[in-house]
Amino acid sequence: MKTYAVVASVVLMVVGCSRPENAASTGEKANPSVAAATGSYPLTGEILSVDAPRKVLIVKHEDIPGYMPAMTMEFVVSDADLAAAKPGQRIRAEMTPAPDSVFRLGKIWPNDKAGDDTITAGARVLRQDTHSRGRNVYREVGETVPVFALYDQEGRVVQSAQFRGKKVMLNFIFTRCPVATMCPAATLKMVSAQKLAKEAGVSNVEFISVTLDPTYDTPPILKEYAKLRGIDTANFSFLTGPDKAIKDLLAQFGVIAEFENDLLKHTLTTLLIDENGTIIHRADSSVWEAGDFVAKMRKS
């Protein structure tokens, strides 16, 4: 019988986080009527140019059902979305009109059919796998990791198969976590492990942080998170994607994360995975030492 004691024994920390508003933010199709009711509308289009001083994107967008026809116009964006924007990039986002006639874009995701199809197919396979495992959904040390496909901080599709042949250190965090001993501490320890591994000559290793909050943590938000902390992303990926896929990963890795009104209650887990995709070590909560993980990397 599987044991869940290690997860159940972790004390849940309550942290502030907005509840997901609609599916558009995680790459799924939005309902225009629901979007209109919230004051935001789903938008797809192509970035034609970036006006950095004004924090504006010039976007040629498609028809916005129930609001306006296709046209080219300016949109104000956040610093994170501005930094990640590139001319020629096709995007999916939420458009919010303001009383001052300023149009804003937020929750910007890549809108590439091939990439979207890969993410959708990956989420479907992961859902089927989670369902088929039933009561045995939680993967113990010694089991292989599930197949998944998500976006990284650059908006690129990342599939679990591409990490085969490498050691992987993986955890779950979210960018808005305000509790110093939770996600911020976990990120600092991951960075420490990355530096220690490099100093120890462990070169065949990748570091991955999967968001617990995919509605807010879009690729640009994750990219800004890494940049502000000076994280070397040469072998450190921050992943996000469809909410259902994230929930299935959490279930399979034994991480608790659920909204209670507008608060996110969650546990923390850090995993070490070998070159064959087998889980060889895990630590729950943020109480672990980077040196211990690096020592296990060297032995495996």
Side-chain angles (χ1 to χ4, degrees):
M1 180 179 293
K2 301 286 184 180
T3 173
Y4 295 85
V6 66
V7 177
S9 64
V10 181
V11 178
L12 287 175
M13 297 295 291
V14 179
V15 290
C17 180
S18 299
R19 175 178 291 278
E21 294 175 358
N22 59 57
S25 60
T26 51
E28 301 171 16
K29 299 299 182 182
N31 184 325
S33 62
V34 173
T38 64
S40 296
Y41 298 80
L43 174 148
T44 57
E46 179 183 349
I47 298 174
L48 300 182
S49 62
V50 180
D51 187 340
R54 297 171 57 219
K55 297 185 179 181
V56 164
L57 301 183
I58 311 300
V59 178
K60 180 180 180 182
H61 67 78
E62 298 169 9
D63 179 61
I64 302 176
Y67 192 81
M68 70 169 65
M71 64 178 68
T72 298
M73 55 190 295
E74 296 184 346
F75 295 95
V76 175
V77 295
S78 69
D79 290 338
D81 288 328
L82 183 72
K86 300 178 181 65
Q89 179 183 17
R90 290 199 57 79
I91 61 171
R92 176 175 52 250
E94 288 187 4
M95 184 275 291
T96 305
D100 54 4
S101 297
V102 173
F103 291 86
R104 302 180 184 277
L105 280 189
K107 299 183 179 178
I108 299 178
W109 292 80
N111 187 32
D112 170 72
K113 186 179 187 306
D116 289 347
D117 287 348
T118 299
I119 296 292
T120 300
R124 185 180 303 114
V125 170
L126 184 58
R127 177 88 285 272
Q128 292 172 344
D129 181 53
T130 300
H131 179 73
S132 66
R133 290 178 67 88
R135 294 174 60 86
N136 296 324
V137 63
Y138 171 66
R139 291 180 183 259
E140 303 269 12
V141 170
E143 294 189 79
T144 57
V145 297
V147 174
F148 63 84
L150 298 170
Y151 293 107
D152 71 4
Q153 71 276 3
E154 298 292 340
R156 298 171 298 208
V157 174
V158 171
Q159 299 185 71
S160 54
Q162 69 192 62
F163 297 110
R164 288 298 177 94
K166 297 183 178 181
K167 298 179 179 68
V168 176
M169 188 171 175
L170 180 150
N171 77 342
F172 295 84
I173 54 97
F174 71 105
T175 64
R176 294 188 290 177
C177 182
V179 182
T181 56
M182 293 291 281
C183 300
T187 295
L188 286 174
K189 289 190 176 185
M190 286 283 282
V191 171
S192 178
Q194 182 190 37
K195 292 179 179 178
L196 288 175
K198 184 176 181 180
E199 292 170 359
V202 183
S203 58
N204 195 32
V205 60
E206 295 283 336
F207 296 84
I208 299 174
S209 287
V210 181
T211 181
L212 296 164
D213 183 19
T215 296
Y216 181 82
D217 286 339
T218 61
I221 293 294
L222 292 175
K223 183 175 182 178
E224 181 184 53
Y225 181 83
K227 182 179 179 180
L228 290 175
R229 287 157 183 77
I231 297 174
D232 178 6
T233 54
N235 66 333
F236 199 143
S237 301
F238 290 84
L239 304 184
T240 185
D243 184 66
K244 291 180 181 178
I246 298 296
K247 287 180 178 177
D248 283 331
L249 280 180
L250 296 180
Q252 296 214 22
F253 286 131
V255 180
I256 300 171
E258 57 186 18
F259 279 94
E260 186 174 287
N261 296 321
D262 289 330
L263 297 176
L264 178 61
K265 299 166 64 177
H266 71 95
T267 59
L268 291 177
T269 291
T270 306
L271 305 163
L272 184 60
I273 302 158
D274 71 10
E275 294 89 342
N276 298 314
T278 302
I279 303 169
I280 59 175
H281 180 62
R282 69 177 289 149
D284 293 284
S285 82
S286 59
V287 184
W288 52 267
E289 295 300 325
D292 292 340
F293 270 82
V294 174
K296 292 182 184 299
M297 290 177 195
R298 299 181 68 181
K299 292 180 180 179
S300 65

